[in-house]
Amino acid sequence: MMIRHHPNEATLLTYASGGLSTALSTIVATHLGLCPSCRARTENAEKIGGALLSDVEQVAMSASALDLVLARIDNAIPVQPEKTVRHCGHHGLPAPLGDLLPENIDSLRWWPVGPGIRQARLGEGEEAVRLLRISPGRAVPHHSHGGHEMTMIVSGSYTDEIGRFMPGDVADLDPEVSHQPVSDAATDCICVIATDAPLNFTGWVPRLMQSLVRI
Ligand SMILES: [Zn+2]
């Protein structure tokens, strides 16, 4: 797998610090399982974070501080998906996405969100991500993002204003970036998308579709 597009530095730092949403972390953790260079960058970020913490001047703590910390650990909800690299999932993808995907992708409940475009939901609650399936040669309506959106190609490929995206590639887009991915002509392009805000479509037809199907 030749990966050309990676999460940006700020995203990897936020992931290393545990500050990324669960859905966005699913994409980063899966990409890290495929990409040695991002894995090294993330490990460095973790080391720098650890070194900064160990340099912090020590201060006296209250008698109850340890109990408070232990109580927080007991109540903590794990937000970071497993970082260990395991190439055991479906479609040649490591965890966590490889474990979320069914063996037969057609068994998911796909519904149309535009001409030649279908969507399926994967996972539950905060973990939920979306799969987009774009028929060959079809375009996703032009849109920008209200917040942080990350897309990773699962199979097939698409091309947009930024370049060509192949399996394992991640599009890590700022809210200002408006783009229109077009699936390359050979097969369906299936990609996984996580957002922390809904997409902003620029045309009225996709906006109407969006209000009906909540993408
Ligand atoms: Zn990478």
Side-chain angles (χ1 to χ4, degrees):
M1 193 175 278
M2 181 74 186
I3 295 179
R4 293 174 203 276
H5 300 277
H6 308 267
N8 63 42
E9 208 69 43
T11 300
L12 292 180
L13 276 171
T14 312
Y15 174 81
S17 70
L20 215 55
S21 74
T22 309
L24 291 169
S25 295
T26 295
I27 292 187
V28 173
T30 307
H31 178 83
L32 292 182
L34 298 166
C35 180
S37 105
C38 283
R39 216 152 55 225
R41 284 156 70 202
T42 306
E43 278 161 17
N44 274 343
E46 283 167 348
K47 277 184 205 148
I48 291 165
L52 286 173
L53 277 179
S54 66
D55 281 351
V56 172
E57 206 176 313
Q58 293 191 354
V59 291
M61 292 166 76
S62 71
S64 60
L66 182 61
D67 288 341
L68 283 173
V69 170
L70 290 176
R72 279 195 192 179
I73 291 171
D74 281 345
N75 296 329
I77 301 161
V79 291
Q80 200 80 325
E82 187 178 349
K83 288 186 191 174
T84 326
V85 180
R86 284 193 300 137
H87 291 269
C88 68
H90 294 132
H91 307 279
L93 290 172
L97 185 60
D99 291 347
L100 278 177
L101 286 169
E103 193 164 0
N104 178 7
I105 219 151
D106 290 323
S107 68
L108 290 167
R109 203 175 132 251
W110 293 94
W111 69 93
V113 291
I117 302 169
R118 285 173 290 163
Q119 179 174 273
R121 192 183 161 92
L122 209 57
E124 293 298 326
E126 277 186 20
E127 274 180 9
V129 292
R130 292 175 295 124
L131 286 181
L132 205 62
R133 187 170 187 161
I134 317 162
S135 300
R138 289 293 187 166
V140 176
H142 224 273
H143 62 278
S144 60
H145 314 102
H148 195 170
E149 178 194 89
M150 247 190 296
T151 303
M152 195 183 85
I153 308 296
V154 172
S155 62
S157 59
Y158 75 62
T159 303
D160 68 3
E161 292 85 340
I162 300 158
R164 186 168 185 220
F165 288 76
M166 315 264 289
D169 280 335
V170 167
D172 187 0
L173 301 174
D174 292 327
E176 309 83 55
V177 177
S178 174
H179 72 145
Q180 182 168 42
V182 181
S183 177
D184 293 323
T187 56
D188 282 359
C189 175
I190 297 177
C191 45
V192 57
I193 302 176
T195 43
D196 57 11
L199 306 187
N200 297 323
F201 285 100
T202 38
W204 71 268
V205 174
R207 280 211 304 272
L208 182 65
M209 291 292 295
Q210 184 177 34
S211 68
L212 295 175
V213 298
R214 277 206 48 77
I215 53 174

